[in-house]
Amino acid sequence: MLPIGVANKAEASNCSIRSILSNVTGKWRMIVILALEDEPKRFGDLKRCIGDITQSVLTENLRGLQRDGYLTRSVDPGPPVAVSYELTPLGRSLLAMLKPLVYWSHEQMDEVRAQRMSYDRDQKNG
């Protein structure tokens, strides 16, 4: 098994699970990476593609992904000014790892729903 436990904050900051995976496996960051799979997108196009994300949450997640090197931000001074985002080679390698998980999630949805219903029923009945 991979080492997942840490003894202190210093070790935690060097732990790949805490430092890298926790940043890219959040709901929105994975969806942003997936949304950029086919082509660069402007901010508004990303927001429309994702749908149920607020402007501030999208901005925060784009900045985090850019900071870690998964995407680039390009500004065309216009007029009008156009900002677009594109996956970097690092982002593309992450996408290749995420896609099997996404396909697996889709394939397991019926089973997970059934398990949730069973669990909720059992909890309700005491």
Side-chain angles (χ1 to χ4, degrees), residues 49 52 58 69 81 104 114 123:
C49 176
D52 61 336
L58 179 55
V81 174
W104 179 86
Q123 294 299 306

Side-chain angles (χ1 to χ4, degrees), residues 11-64:
E11 282 185 20
S13 67
N14 289 321
C15 174
S16 61
I17 293 169
R18 288 165 177 79
S19 179
I20 296 175
L21 289 181
S22 65
N23 280 342
V24 297
T25 56
K27 168 184 167 180
W28 295 118
R29 292 198 180 178
M30 289 178 68
I31 290 173
V32 169
I33 293 287
L34 293 165
L36 291 170
E37 176 181 13
D38 295 328
E39 62 187 358
K41 286 189 173 58
R42 292 175 60 178
F43 184 92
D45 294 332
L46 268 173
K47 187 166 180 344
R48 278 188 293 283
C49 176
I50 295 169
D52 61 336
I53 189 170
T54 66
Q55 183 170 332
S56 61
V57 170
L58 179 55
T59 298
E60 175 186 327
N61 282 276
L62 287 167
R63 286 179 181 158

Side-chain angles (χ1 to χ4, degrees), residues 22 38-39 64 71 73-75 80 95 99 104 120:
S22 65
D38 295 328
E39 62 187 358
L71 58 83
R73 178 181 185 266
S74 302
V75 180
L95 175 65
K99 284 176 72 174
W104 179 86
D120 292 348

